[in-house]
Amino acid sequence: RITGVDKYLGSIETGKIADMVVVDGDPLNDVADLYKVDTVIKDGRAYPLSELLAHFDRKDAIRVSSSPE
């Protein structure tokens, strides 16, 4: 609050800056759910996982998107 950035950061609201990773699951209950990335939101644009992984070859994409065993 002292620096005034709370007007722009700190919560998810219209007009605020927020980069997020949307996962399928609840990482508070199961930390492995962090590997279940669905969407990344950066600078107000949503990037589906398939679009982010399009830069990798198929073998790398499968390895990156799989949960550890």
Side-chain angles (χ1 to χ4, degrees):
R1 291 182 188 164
I2 294 171
T3 62
V5 296
D6 59 321
K7 293 183 245 181
Y8 309 104
L9 305 170
S11 62
I12 302 170
E13 297 177 46
T14 301
K16 289 196 173 184
I17 300 168
D19 295 337
M20 294 180 277
V21 176
V22 179
V23 298
D24 182 16
D26 182 354
L28 295 177
N29 286 328
D30 184 357
V31 73
D33 285 348
L34 288 171
Y35 287 95
K36 299 176 183 176
V37 174
D38 180 72
T39 305
V40 174
I41 301 170
K42 173 75 175 144
D43 295 329
R45 182 170 184 261
Y47 298 88
L49 184 62
S50 59
E51 183 178 335
L52 296 172
L53 294 178
H55 301 286
F56 293 96
D57 67 29
R58 183 171 168 81
K59 185 177 81 177
D60 287 338
I62 291 169
R63 183 178 48 79
V64 169
S65 65
S66 297
S67 296
E69 296 185 12

